[in-house]
Structures are given as structure tokens and as C-alpha cells.
């Protein structure tokens, strides 16, 4: 489909009138009321953060605004004009949403993605040269001057694809930009870059809604913050009037116990030994051991080979050199199936690609990797399966109407909790967690940490990759730093401070 490129008629902006007004928005799904009458106002030149626990209703609110969900009740006005139903009306009114999971199409070019369904056209012919010129303009505004518009999108790294999403909003003349956890998959310097883009767009007059579980980001970037809880807004203040403690309190409505429930533990024998492990080209050389009951953190910057290390141990990437021993037994002919058989589990950082079957319900997803444990004589008891799924959900407080809810309809953070619940449903020997708290709210994070300790105390060896330094330092007994594909040092807990870890992770050497 194509549309002509004439400017769309819009009412003139009025400084006093809010750019966006949502009033009394109600949205129910079978078994859950996602939004119970939410109202908010967003002004031009303003960044508003929305924070709240997993399942609070943040993404649902955004989907109502974008026209993806039709509200049961409530009104939306943009510049005082009621917004018609549907996604096209929202786009025409200047609403652009960048979802929690990117929505671009890898097999199309950058330009095609930017104008998806609305390539500049005249008399039905797509104007390629105009499309490329407009694309270059939009790309330049997000700092992607070097990206050719005809490049295949999938050939760009993830951090750049994210910026293409922002460029797409610009190409569509958006006045309201909504970003649902935009930094979840980004590394720190990409985050800084995204902030700079957001600030520029704000200065140019956009109104921006920013959803994040990272409160430090909220304090750095937002002008105001709205807290959602159980489908309602429970607080809205300009940023200077919030403290971090107030925000957390408003989000979880209960007192959090010590955030990092780390404690010293007795260790058992070595259960995982890795010798000179490599998986060309990204993993070059890793040797280390982990004892039963230990929690080992792996630090490193993007591209250091952390995920590749876990995947190679698990059997999801081929080892091109080296050996792996689990409980002293050499793991040969390695594959994920073999890995599971040896008692290894691995939870991926990317729940969309490798984590879950989104069309299946929670019960099916939890049972997936534990079928062997459940089957006796080839027969899987329904009741056992149900129980396993219920226990797994309860362990991490998955917020769902029941274990029969389709996983794809869970909130982002709750999908992550299902992955963790599944991984820990059996009693693994070694549990490898890749960015386990990505997209997880503060309250649930603390529950996940507590469970890591419980698993370690029960004798599991826990290996965690995390880009969040506080969590790495807060939870690890020992930190291994990776640099350019190799483990370059091992730092004991009492020596592991952020300076030391950053030094090793960024230079591959000590101070
Ligand atoms: N399409 C749907 N079908 C059924 N339930 C849904 C659907 N979309 C959302 N929900 C439910 O609505 C509630 C709110 O979910 P929502 O995705 O808005 O939460 P969120 O605040 O974005 O959480 P997170 O921080 O985990 O992303 C959840 O209980 C979720 O399961
Ligand atoms: Mg969400």
C-alpha cells in the first residue's frame, strides 16, 4: 500500500492545551482487568516516564494509545481532537510507538521499514529517489548518517535497528513518541546515544512517553513520572518531587527486604569444569571451575563473548576447542539435549528468539523442558504437569489469570519469569542465567535474587551473565571478567568493586 506525501492536515498546537489527553481508559481481557480507568496528560517538549511492576498495565496503555487495543471505556484526545479508533488513525494523528519487542522486518531494506506501507508515491508509483532522500534525513536525525537506506535491515546490529525504529517515527512526522523499555536490549554507550536522540526530539517539540524498569534512567531522562499499579495510576509528579524510594514504594506498595539477599554459603565439590573452551569466532579461550553451591558472575562488555560462553557450555554453540566436564564426566557430542541430560540449564537473554513458544500456554511452556522428568513409562500425568507449572509460576510470582493463559499475552516481564520458572522446574546441576532480570520490575528482581540463593543453597552451581554491574556485584561469590572472547581474570567477592570490574572488562587488564 502507498500513500501520497502531501502534509497531513492537523490542528495547530496550543501551548496550554496538552498534546495528549487520555481519560478514564478501561481495558479488560478474559480474567484480568488490565486498565481500570487510567487518565494522563502529556505536553509537548516533555518526557514522561511510566513505571510500574510487571503486569501493571503499562504496555496495555500504550497499545490503547497506538490503536492496537480498543479500549472498553475512555477517551483519547490529541491537541483537543478526539482520536479515532485503529492504528492508522493514531499514526495519522502523529503517534509513534516503539514496542518492547522490535517490530521491524529484517528482510526489508531500511527505507522500506521506515515507510512501511507508506512509501512516498505518485500515481501509484513508489518514488525511490524521494524515499531514499527522506530516509537519509530521518536517519541523520538519529545519528545513523552512515547507514545506507537500501541496506537490508537484518544486517544492522540490534542497537542500530532500535534507532531505525526512532527514525521511522520521525519519518512519519510523529509528535508523540512512545518507547516501551527501549533500552532493555542496549549497552551503555548505545543508551547514552538514545538519550541524546530523545533530548533532541524533545527540544524539537515532541512529547515523549518513556517506559522503563531502570529508575536511574527515569531520573536522568524524564521530566515527570507516572506510577502504575494494578491497572491504575497511583502517582504522578514532576521528577524533582520524586525520590527513588518514593517511586519504588508507590510501585510495589510493600516494603522490600534487603534487595540483594546474598549470604555466605558452604560449597560442595566442583560440578562444572571448563578447559580451554572456544567457539570460533567469538569465544576464544575460557577455563574455569564452579563448585556446587556457588554463584559465579560473568562480567564483560558487548561482544566480550559472555553469551557465547554460556551457549557453548550448554551445547547450543559448537565448541571448536576445549573440554567441558559436568560432575567429572566429560560432555561429548554436545547439543542442548545432551546439556539437559547432564543437568545443565540455560536461560536466554532473548525471550523472543529462544525462550518461549508464545502461542502455547504457561503450562505447556514449563513442561517443555521437563517432560522427561515428568514422564513415567512414557506417560505424562496431567496433574503433574499442572502442578509443575503452578509451582514454577508461584516461585517467581508470574502474574497471569491461570497457567492456561497463552504466554504471548503475558506482560514482557512475566514472560521472562516463565522462562526462569521453567529453567528451575527440574533440579539442575548447573544453572546458567543470561541477563536474568532484563525487563523485570524491582520487586520481582529481588525475588529472583532470593531464588538464586535458594538454588545455590540446594547445591546448584549458578552462573550468571549480567550487564547490570550492581546486580553482578551484589549477587556473585566470585566474578569472572571476559574481554574479547577470553576470561581474563577472576575477582573474589571482597575484591570486586565496580572500578576493578570495569577496568578488566574494558581493557582486559588490571589497574
Ligand atoms: N492480549 C492480551 N490478552 C490477555 N491478557 C493480556 C493481553 N495483553 C495484556 N494482558 C494482561 O494485562 C495485564 C497488563 O499487562 P501489560 O503488558 O500491560 O503489563 P506491563 O505493565 O507492560 O508489564 P511489563 O513490565 O512486564 O512489561 C497482564 O496481566 C497481562 O497478562
Ligand atoms: Mg510491558
Amino acid at each position: 500500500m502507498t500513500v501520497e506525501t502531501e502534509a497531513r492536515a492537523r490542528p495547530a498546537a496550543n501551548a496550554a492545551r496538552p498534546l495528549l489527553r487520555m481519560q478514564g481508559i478501561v481495558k479488560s481481557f478474559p480474567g484480568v482487568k488490565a486498565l481500570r480507568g487510567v487518565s494522563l496528560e502529556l505536553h509537548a517538549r516533555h518526557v514522561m516516564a511510566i513505571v510500574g511492576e510487571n503486569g501493571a498495565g503499562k504496555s496495555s496503555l500504550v497499545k490503547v494509545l497506538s490503536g492496537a487495543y480498543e479500549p472498553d471505556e475512555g477517551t483519547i484526545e490529541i491537541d483537543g481532537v478526539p482520536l479515532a479508533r485503529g492504528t492508522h488513525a493514531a499514526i495519522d494523528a502523529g503517534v509513534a510507538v516503539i514496542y518492547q519487542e522490535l517490530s521491524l522486518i529484517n528482510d526489508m531494506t531500511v527505507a522500506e521499514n521506515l515507510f512501511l506501507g507508506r512509501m512516498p508515491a505518485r500515481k501509484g508509483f513508489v518514488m525511490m529517489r524521494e524515499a531514499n532522500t527522506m530516509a537519509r534525513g530521518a536517519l541523520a536525525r538519529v545519528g545513523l548518517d552512515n547507514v545506507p537506506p537500501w541496506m537490508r535491515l537484518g544486517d544492522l546490529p540490534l542497537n542500530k535497528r532500535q534507532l531505525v525504529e526512532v527514525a521511522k517515527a520521525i519519518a512519519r512526522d510523529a509528535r508523540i513518541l512512545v518507547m516501551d523499555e527501549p533500552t532493555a536490549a542496549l549497552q551503555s554507550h548505545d543508551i547514552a546515544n538514545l538519550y541524546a536522540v530523545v533530548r533532541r526530539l524533545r527540544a524539537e517539540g515532541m512529547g515523549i512517553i518513556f517506559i522503563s524498569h531502570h529508575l536511574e534512567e527515569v531520573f536522568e531522562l524524564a521530566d515527570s513520572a507516572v506510577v502504575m499499579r494494578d491497572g491504575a495510576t497511583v502517582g504522578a509528579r514532576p521528577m524533582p518531587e520524586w525520590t527513588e524510594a518514593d517511586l519504588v514504594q508507590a510501585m510495589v506498595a510493600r516494603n522490600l527486604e534487603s534487595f540483594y539477599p546474598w549470604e555466605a554459603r558452604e560449597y560442595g565439590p566442583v560440578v562444572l569444569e571448563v578447559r580451554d573452551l572456544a567457539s570460533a569466532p567469538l569465544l576464544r579461550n575460557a577455563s574455569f571451575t564452579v563448585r556446587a553451591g556457588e554463584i559465579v558472575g560473568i562480567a564483560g562488555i558487548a561482544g566480550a563473548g559472555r553469551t557465547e560462553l554460556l551457549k557453548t557450555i550448554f551445547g547450543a554453540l559448537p565448541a571448536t576447542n576445549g573440554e567441558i566436564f559436568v560432575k567429572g564426566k566429560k560432555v561429548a557430542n554436545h547439543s542442548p539435549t545432551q546439556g539437559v541430560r547432564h543437568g545443565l540449564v540455560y536461560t536466554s537473554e532473548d525471550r523472543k528468539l529462544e525462550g518461549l513458544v508464545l502461542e502455547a500456554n504457561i503450562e505447556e511452556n514449563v513442561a517443555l523442558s521437563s517432560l522427561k522428568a515428568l514422564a513415567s513409562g512414557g506417560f505424562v500425568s496431567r496433574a503433574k504437569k499442572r502442578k509443575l507449572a503452578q509451582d514454577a509460576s508461584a516461585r517467581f510470582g508470574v502474574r497471569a489469570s491461570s497457567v492456561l493463559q497463552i504466554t504471548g499475552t503475558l506482560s514482557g516481564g512475566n514472560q521472562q519469569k516463565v522462562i526462569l520458572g521453567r529453567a528451575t522446574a527440574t533440579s539442575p546441576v548447573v544453572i546458567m542465567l543470561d541477563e536474568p532480570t532484563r525487563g523485570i520490575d524491582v520487586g520481582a528482581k529481588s525475588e529472583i535474587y532470593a531464588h538464586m540463593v535458594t538454588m545455590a543453597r540446594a547445591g546448584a552451581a549458578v552462573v550468571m551473565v549480567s550487564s547490570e554491574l550492581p546486580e553482578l556485584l551484589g549477587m556473585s561469590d566470585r566474578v569472572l571478567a571476559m574481554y574479547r572472547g577470553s576470561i581474563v581474570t577472576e575477582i573474589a567477592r571482597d575484591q570486586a568493586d565496580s572500578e576493578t570490574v570495569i577496568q578488566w572488562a574494558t581493557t582486559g587488564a588490571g589497574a
Side-chain angles (χ1 to χ4, degrees), residues 82-116:
L83 178 64
R85 296 274 146 93
T87 51
H88 286 287
I91 291 172
D92 287 343
V95 176
V97 177
I98 298 173
Y99 286 106
Q100 219 161 342
E101 258 90 34
L102 295 188
S103 62
L104 297 171
I105 299 166
N106 284 340
D107 282 326
M108 300 206 312
T109 67
V110 171
E112 283 167 336
N113 269 288
L114 289 181
F115 300 109
L116 209 59

Side-chain angles (χ1 to χ4, degrees), residues 50-73:
I50 301 182
V51 299
E53 288 190 283
N54 297 130
K58 306 178 296 293
S59 296
S60 300
L61 185 68
V62 167
K63 286 177 186 160
V64 167
L65 173 60
S66 74
Y69 286 169
E70 189 172 317
D72 305 336
E73 283 172 46

